[in-house]
Amino acid sequence: MTTELLQQVRVIDPVSGTDQLGDVLIADNYIQRIALDIADISPDTQVRDCRGLVLGPGLVDLYSHSGEPGFEERETLLSFLQAAAAGGFTRVSILPDTSPPIDNPSLVAQLLYMRGGEKEKTLPHLQLWGGLTLDVAGKQLTELADLAAGGVVGFTDGQPWENLGLVRRVLEYLQPFNKPVAFWPCDRQLMANGVMREGAESLRLGLPPIPASAETTAIAALLELVAAIGTPVHIMRVSTARSVELIAAAKAQGLPITASTTWLHLLLDTKAVKSYHTSLHLDPPLGNPSDVAALRGGVRGGVIDAIAIDHRGYTYEEKVQAFAESPAGAIGFELALPLLWQHLVETGEFTAVELWQGLSTRPAECLEQKVNAIAPGQKAELTLFDPQNTWQVNRQNLYTLSINTSWFGQQLTGRVVQTWC
């Protein structure tokens, strides 16, 4: 049995809402004791001086993209899980847009078996979103009951929908399953060939614009269906100020909805795109400054329930193109916590508890799960973070196979020291 004593660590518990210093004794992957000072320990206890370090519950990612199966040159399942663990995540959820897509129970079983074959206990718990439609094409429904029985965490295509009639059928069919269902509201016709949020910056940079209404009209339509049918829904990838207003109004009316934005949409706005770095080509695009301010306020106020990572690896060759021609997406597992901490917590805009809620307890609630409090008797599903650790973002320091991030080559402050999965 391994016993560790973390001395004078800053314990952030988003369940109880506390932020305090103390000693934490962990034995055989369970929290044994928490006190201001623990002195009576066995001789074989590993003692670690944790002054300046932060201990919180393991982070939970709502949705991200795995390269495997189908695109192993971008990301293998092992590198995906290793990167997540290195970023402090103890639960990760894969979207069904693999090749082949996760739209049948046999592939669910295969991927869960592959994860079970990895002997490393430090790897996160793997969760799979099941596709709503065959080939995530938005046309023919999958065998939802079989996928539910096969162990998927919830249902989504992770793609915009064009057929609202089919969305209505999905909401009707899924009522008995008690599984989360997530939609990415986006009107592809309004989006057209756009690659950047419409506004002054898109005009200045000469990039095809995407109006905010491409998102808000789709959200409004989805909310009307939820109001009519009553099936709980999660709204993915919220990126505009008007969307926050619509969701706030719907929640005030009692609609059963949750919502998430991504970590990059909380950090950056359209001004960052002036570099034309293709890792800033995202879907949905980065918002205008007013959008970022509204999203941050939405997360703090609980209108936006969770912060998702939406990690998506691409090869170097795929991303070395003109901005508008490059595929949308960026990596994030190993970067999200350090950057969010430095830009939101260190600046005083968020408290440490508020950030940890957005990355742990609230994403779990969106998946109809819970994160345990940091308390004696609870399993050690924890993340130890050093806010002052300085490191360079390069191939040697990343577990993920892909390097599609605008921070590549830069120095960051803050890094996860250990993850108990």
Side-chain angles (χ1 to χ4, degrees), residues 81-400:
L81 293 170
Q82 287 175 329
F89 291 86
T90 56
R91 306 179 203 178
V92 290
S93 306
I94 290 179
L95 288 168
D97 60 344
T98 51
S99 182
I102 305 173
D103 61 2
N104 62 86
S106 62
L107 185 55
V108 172
Q110 178 185 339
L111 290 173
L112 294 179
Y113 176 80
M114 288 171 61
R115 168 60 184 91
E118 300 295 347
K119 301 304 181 184
E120 295 185 50
K121 295 181 180 179
T122 55
L123 294 180
H125 177 61
L126 177 65
Q127 304 175 138
L128 306 175
W129 286 95
L132 284 166
T133 61
L134 293 176
D135 295 323
V136 294
K139 295 180 180 179
Q140 182 180 350
L141 293 183
T142 57
E143 295 294 338
L144 300 173
D146 291 346
L147 282 169
V152 297
V153 71
F155 297 97
T156 188
D157 275 359
Q159 303 290 334
W161 282 62
E162 298 179 2
N163 187 340
L164 286 177
L166 198 56
V167 173
R168 179 186 173 90
R169 284 175 56 199
V170 164
L171 295 180
E172 291 171 341
Y173 288 171
L174 285 179
Q175 279 187 332
F177 294 125
N178 294 317
K179 292 271 188 182
V181 56
F183 292 95
W184 172 27
C186 177
D187 188 315
R188 285 295 196 191
Q189 290 183 321
L190 285 173
M191 182 179 176
N193 66 336
V195 295
M196 181 180 179
R197 176 68 66 227
E198 185 177 65
E201 290 296 323
S202 65
L203 285 172
R204 189 175 69 82
L205 297 176
L207 291 171
I210 301 173
S213 57
E215 177 172 294
T216 57
T217 55
I219 287 180
L222 179 61
L223 292 175
E224 285 297 311
L225 290 175
V226 173
I229 299 169
T231 303
V233 158
H234 179 78
I235 300 174
M236 307 167 65
R237 302 184 178 121
V238 177
S239 69
T240 75
R242 177 59 182 155
S243 299
V244 177
E245 294 176 357
L246 291 171
I247 293 166
K251 286 190 170 185
Q253 294 169 9
L255 264 63
I257 58 171
T258 56
S260 60
T261 189
T262 82
W263 72 286
L264 280 170
H265 287 87
L266 290 177
L267 282 180
L268 302 176
D269 58 34
T270 51
K271 294 176 184 177
V273 183
K274 66 183 179 182
S275 68
Y276 291 98
H277 199 295
T278 55
S279 292
L280 299 177
H281 178 195
L282 305 176
D283 214 353
L286 293 172
N288 291 308
S290 59
D291 297 317
V292 176
L295 290 170
R296 291 182 179 185
V299 172
R300 289 198 65 197
V303 174
I304 304 299
D305 299 86
I307 304 169
I309 305 305
D310 211 3
H311 173 99
R312 186 163 197 158
Y314 283 106
T315 64
Y316 176 80
E317 291 75 17
E318 286 176 303
K319 275 293 191 178
V320 181
Q321 301 187 52
F323 188 92
E325 302 301 322
S326 64
I331 63 171
F333 279 141
E334 296 163 87
L335 309 176
L337 180 57
L339 286 162
L340 290 170
W341 185 277
Q342 290 299 319
H343 289 272
L344 298 183
V345 177
E346 292 289 352
T347 60
E349 188 170 350
F350 277 51
T351 67
V353 170
E354 286 171 339
L355 177 60
W356 228 275
Q357 285 173 336
L359 288 169
S360 62
T361 53
R362 288 181 180 170
E365 289 167 1
C366 292
L367 295 170
E368 298 180 9
Q369 301 171 357
K370 72 172 186 176
V371 169
N372 293 324
I374 300 180
Q378 298 291 352
K379 195 167 182 64
E381 186 180 350
L382 302 167
T383 295
L384 186 63
F385 175 64
D386 183 353
Q388 303 306 318
N389 186 318
T390 301
W391 60 290
Q392 187 175 46
V393 182
N394 56 36
R395 286 191 181 275
Q396 290 71 37
N397 289 330
L398 292 173
Y399 279 96
T400 180

